[in-house]
Amino acid sequence: MRIRANWPEHLREPRPGYYIWVDPRDGKAHILGRMPLAQAIYEAQEANLIVEKGALTRSLADRVSRGTNTVADLIAKMPTQGLKKSTLNTRGYHDKAIINAIGHIECAALTTKHIADMLEAITAAGKMRTAKAVRDRMLAICTKGAALGWMTSNPATITEKPKIKVTRRRLTLDEFNAIFAKAPEVADWLQNAMLLALVSGQDRSTIGRWERSFNRDGVANVQRSKTSVRIEIPLELRMNAVNMSLNDVIARCRSTGVVSKYLIHHIRNQGRAVRGSHVKLGSISNAFADARTLAGIIGDDAPTFHEIRSLCKRLYIEQGGIDTKALLGHMTDAMADLYANNRGLAPIKVRISGA
């Protein structure tokens, strides 16, 4: 943190071009944010006058004298109890972006333009999903601000919602088989992970944490970590496209000769991975991507491991007789339809029933 000899007292620069002023009375850091050095020096001098003489001036000085709360102060008030670590990490990433951009602005002075300019900068960098997530976060933050009486309205509500264009294409069965054939060259557990995902329809997180104890009395009881939805799947569930039942896949996962509580586990020691331990979620995605490349399926829109979930739904719909909405744990028809959408991969079939 840079402290210059010719700077006003209590002015700090944690990183280049980003300034804070530390109140000597209580040690609290007030965020100035990114601004020209001359402006930061001026505001620090004004704040120092408050401390030394009690004079009322402007901006930061006004904040010091009246204790006005900033967006950064409001973010610190956001609830965290009961949230999962992954959720907290994601929100922390978005909160940091918000604080860097508008954290120094007083809540009462926050306008729609402040938020819109921040979102525009994010979208200009090509980060559409981040822009959407930051907007959603700002909606929640400003709602909290209104509830605390720090704001009189929610300026985020009328900002334009970033439009996300889906670039990832769907996975076909032929592509699945091609990647499956290359999987042993990448990881000895990858084929099992792919089959378990395809036949069960579960997401990567559920696949990676699927324990042997989940399967008993002819059913598999799993819980999706993202939504906490519990799903009971009959082990007799069979996918005709690969001629395997869920029970067949589970038996294959358990036949590695390694004692493990997890169906998808490391079969040998490798680096920090211990034989029998679960496979990290990032490793599943990376291994699938490597096998996909070996299979010659490349491009910015190449399907990811998560696309196995959509392939599962589409294959079961074609097969018939399976409640795919329940299987995938979807609570709404809209989400169920999203996974059923082949995104132009195949034409819409016109079926004619017999009279």
Side-chain angles (χ1 to χ4, degrees):
M1 180 179 295
R2 296 200 297 170
I3 307 174
R4 298 286 182 84
N6 61 337
W7 282 10
E9 287 187 305
H10 319 306
L11 179 63
R12 304 289 186 269
E13 187 181 19
R15 50 187 178 275
Y18 186 88
Y19 303 97
I20 63 174
W21 179 83
V22 181
D23 192 329
R25 298 171 298 185
D26 57 12
K28 180 179 179 180
H30 294 264
I31 297 172
L32 293 172
R34 295 193 178 279
M35 59 175 58
L37 175 59
Q39 182 181 350
I41 289 176
Y42 174 77
E43 294 218 14
Q45 289 172 336
E46 293 287 277
N48 287 339
L49 286 176
I50 294 296
V51 175
E52 295 171 5
K53 302 177 182 178
L56 289 175
T57 53
R58 50 177 290 198
S59 189
L60 174 61
D62 199 35
R63 193 158 77 232
V64 173
S65 63
R66 295 187 289 111
T68 304
N69 296 296
T70 65
V71 173
D73 296 326
L74 179 54
I75 288 176
K77 288 282 189 179
M78 294 299 289
T80 58
Q81 187 175 4
L83 298 178
K84 297 176 181 178
K85 183 179 179 181
S86 59
T87 300
L88 290 174
N89 289 341
T90 300
R91 290 187 178 177
Y93 173 80
H94 297 144
D95 288 349
K96 183 178 180 180
I98 294 169
I99 290 172
N100 286 343
I102 59 174
H104 61 288
I105 298 175
E106 297 169 2
C107 291
L110 184 67
T111 66
T112 297
K113 187 176 187 307
H114 289 132
I115 302 172
D117 287 346
M118 173 181 64
L119 296 177
E120 185 177 353
I122 298 173
T123 55
K127 301 178 180 179
M128 300 301 294
R129 292 187 182 277
T130 300
K132 181 182 181 303
V134 168
R135 180 182 183 272
D136 291 343
R137 182 62 170 162
M138 281 304 304
L139 286 168
I141 290 171
C142 293
T143 297
K144 178 70 172 180
L148 291 172
W150 294 4
M151 308 172 72
T152 57
S153 62
N154 189 330
T157 55
I158 58 175
T159 56
E160 185 177 7
K161 185 176 181 180
K163 297 178 181 179
I164 300 174
K165 181 179 179 181
V166 178
T167 58
R168 186 179 62 207
R169 61 182 173 80
R170 293 302 194 198
L171 179 70
T172 68
L173 181 59
D174 286 342
E175 288 175 329
F176 177 92
N177 290 332
I179 298 170
F180 186 82
K182 294 293 183 180
E185 300 179 32
V186 177
D188 45 22
W189 44 261
L190 183 54
Q191 284 190 334
N192 287 346
M194 291 176 64
L195 283 173
L196 189 59
L198 184 66
V199 176
S200 73
Q202 301 309 300
D203 62 302
R204 181 190 62 166
S205 179
T206 305
I207 296 300
R209 297 295 184 272
W210 196 316
E211 298 182 16
R212 295 189 182 199
S213 61
F214 294 172
N215 318 305
R216 61 179 61 182
D217 300 326
V219 296
N221 286 283
V222 297
Q223 182 173 1
R224 293 198 63 210
S225 60
K226 183 178 180 180
T227 60
S228 297
V229 171
R230 297 183 62 85
I231 308 169
E232 186 176 279
I233 311 172
L235 297 182
E236 64 182 1
L237 174 69
R238 173 174 291 275
M239 176 170 282
N240 295 339
V242 293
N243 194 29
M244 292 188 75
S245 68
L246 180 56
N247 199 42
D248 294 334
V249 176
I250 291 174
R252 173 180 168 133
C253 293
R254 299 182 61 160
S255 66
T256 61
V258 176
V259 177
S260 174
K261 66 184 290 187
Y262 301 99
L263 292 185
I264 307 304
H265 53 267
H266 289 281
I267 299 176
R268 57 180 59 84
N269 295 331
Q270 187 173 8
R272 294 183 179 180
V274 180
R275 189 171 182 261
S277 63
H278 69 80
V279 178
K280 292 182 178 180
L281 304 186
S283 297
I284 294 176
S285 294
N286 293 337
F288 181 84
D290 290 343
R292 184 190 64 207
T293 300
L294 290 176
I297 303 168
I298 57 177
D300 294 337
D301 64 343
T304 63
F305 185 90
H306 188 73
E307 285 302 322
I308 298 177
R309 191 162 152 82
S310 171
L311 176 60
C312 164
K313 182 179 183 73
R314 287 179 281 121
L315 289 175
Y316 277 134
I317 289 176
E318 186 72 21
Q319 179 177 319
I322 307 296
D323 184 353
T324 57
K325 179 181 176 182
L327 179 63
L328 272 66
H330 291 148
M331 304 301 291
T332 65
D333 290 337
M335 184 57 69
D337 292 342
L338 176 65
Y339 277 78
N341 183 356
N342 63 33
R343 295 180 187 162
L345 195 65
I348 300 173
K349 297 182 178 179
V350 178
R351 302 185 185 279
I352 302 176
S353 301

